[in-house]
Amino acid sequence: MEVFGLKFPNPVGLAAGMDKFAAAIPAWEQIGFGFCELGGVTRLAQPGNPSPRMFRAPAAGAVINRMGFNNPGAGAFAQTLAEWKKSGRWPKHPVGINLGKSKVTPLEKAAEDYAGSFRLLREYGDFFVINVSSPNTPGLRQLQDKAALDEILAVVCELQKTGSRQPAILVKIAPDLSFEALDEILELATARKLSGIVATNTTITRPETGDPHLQKIYAETGGLSGRPLRERSTEIVRHIFKQTKGALPIIGVGGIFNANDAWEKIAAGASLIQIYTGMVYEGPGLPKKIVTEFIRRMRSEGINNFKDVIGLESKR
């Protein structure tokens, strides 16, 4: 299948946040992923937030994290990627790189920060995701504001046009945005000719529960991912697909634990999907299992082409 000019062996990808140091690039292809998104990476190296900073809620199939973009910095990250390239173990599938803002960089200098990372890494990524939606860097979500985001996109998209290699540019959004704010981002995405949207990041909201143990975990600061996020992220995928009439590719992320969850996201309008928390609870066999069961369901419903599943619910 082809999305934003890249060929994907299957639509199941590794979400950003799992491989923040580009330490396991060959592994993702080997366990069955159709693509991977490395990072988030910031221009400057940073240790992230103090530990403990990740919490499991097994009863809810959820994880809360406040990692805080712990990573080696774009320069060191580029060096690691160069070594992987030389080793001959670079994957055949598309490799994405998630770019965040350095914590010490003021919001008014964010565009420069993202541009600096892009310059260092552009030779290695097939696509880049501008992450302005992590809840764990103070003030970062303010960059989803139309004017602030446009400033970043203007600089990065201008850089993208220069040079022989022009990787795809996407933006990753929060599930907590109103539809009005989301529509403003979609206007920008169209105006700046972005390749797609990643929907969604983790949420700062918490589901209601009477379970005291869950209440204790939910009280932790950070972004929540996993099953409780599934419905809202699908709702946002559906909205984007409807508003853009399917013209803007969507990577659907949030609460995908099996082929039925994957089907829900793709039928709502996602061209690709990503998993993170599903890997935590279901293990490394999950990508292949999703692909196998997805194909089985396509056959049972008499669908021969994967593209026919994208946005299927709006066609019926």
Side-chain angles (χ1 to χ4, degrees), residues 83-146:
E83 285 163 14
W84 279 122
K85 282 269 188 186
K86 284 178 198 166
S87 74
R89 299 178 68 197
W90 193 265
K92 293 182 183 70
H93 68 205
V95 173
I97 300 175
N98 184 288
L99 302 181
K101 182 189 78 67
S102 306
K103 189 175 181 179
V104 297
T105 301
L107 289 177
E108 60 271 19
K109 292 189 176 176
E112 190 182 314
D113 195 78
Y114 282 96
S117 295
F118 182 76
R119 280 190 196 96
L120 288 165
L121 296 164
R122 68 173 299 159
E123 294 306 312
Y124 304 102
D126 296 302
F127 67 93
F128 284 80
V129 179
I130 307 298
N131 185 350
V132 286
S133 52
S134 168
N136 301 319
T137 295
L140 186 76
R141 286 190 169 194
Q142 292 175 42
L143 297 176
Q144 291 179 119
D145 173 76
K146 191 175 182 181

Side-chain angles (χ1 to χ4, degrees), residues 59-299:
V63 165
I64 291 170
N65 93 82
R66 51 171 181 264
M67 302 297 281
F69 283 156
N70 54 308
N71 76 100
F77 203 86
Q79 248 181 335
T80 301
L81 295 180
E83 285 163 14
W84 279 122
K85 282 269 188 186
K86 284 178 198 166
S87 74
R89 299 178 68 197
W90 193 265
K92 293 182 183 70
H93 68 205
V95 173
I97 300 175
N98 184 288
L99 302 181
K101 182 189 78 67
S102 306
K103 189 175 181 179
V104 297
T105 301
L107 289 177
E108 60 271 19
K109 292 189 176 176
E112 190 182 314
D113 195 78
Y114 282 96
S117 295
F118 182 76
R119 280 190 196 96
L120 288 165
L121 296 164
R122 68 173 299 159
E123 294 306 312
Y124 304 102
D126 296 302
F127 67 93
F128 284 80
V129 179
I130 307 298
N131 185 350
V132 286
S133 52
S134 168
N136 301 319
T137 295
L140 186 76
R141 286 190 169 194
Q142 292 175 42
L143 297 176
Q144 291 179 119
D145 173 76
K146 191 175 182 181
L149 180 57
D150 193 37
E151 192 180 335
I152 295 165
L153 294 177
V155 176
V156 175
C157 289
E158 193 56 41
L159 278 174
Q160 180 224 21
K161 290 172 191 170
T162 62
S164 55
R165 206 164 177 278
Q166 298 180 351
I169 306 291
L170 296 85
V171 66
K172 186 168 187 172
I173 57 171
D176 310 311
L177 286 172
S178 67
F179 285 137
E180 291 76 18
L182 181 53
D183 287 344
E184 287 192 347
I185 291 174
L186 295 180
E187 280 176 31
L188 275 185
T190 304
R192 292 291 175 192
K193 297 180 178 168
L194 295 191
S195 294
I197 301 280
V198 181
T200 64
N201 213 315
T202 57
T203 179
I204 54 172
T205 64
R206 301 290 186 264
E208 288 185 14
T209 179
D211 183 330
H213 181 63
L214 274 179
Q215 285 173 352
K216 187 180 175 185
I217 297 167
Y218 287 164
E220 294 289 349
T221 301
L224 179 141
S225 61
R227 282 202 173 100
L229 180 58
R230 196 199 86 226
E231 198 173 317
R232 175 60 180 169
S233 64
T234 301
E235 191 179 19
I236 289 183
V237 168
R238 188 178 293 121
H239 179 82
I240 296 169
F241 187 81
K242 183 183 173 186
Q243 291 298 95
T244 63
K245 296 181 172 59
L248 189 66
I250 306 160
I251 300 180
V253 203
I256 299 170
F257 280 59
N258 52 51
N260 288 335
D261 296 336
W263 188 278
E264 177 188 86
K265 286 279 189 295
I266 292 163
S271 295
L272 302 164
I273 58 162
Q274 288 177 327
I275 55 178
Y276 179 97
T277 306
M279 278 273 288
V280 173
Y281 288 111
E282 301 297 320
L286 185 59
K288 285 185 178 178
K289 191 176 179 187
I290 289 176
V291 171
T292 304
E293 292 180 5
F294 199 98
I295 291 168
R296 191 176 293 134
R297 180 163 175 180
M298 280 176 62
R299 285 176 181 155

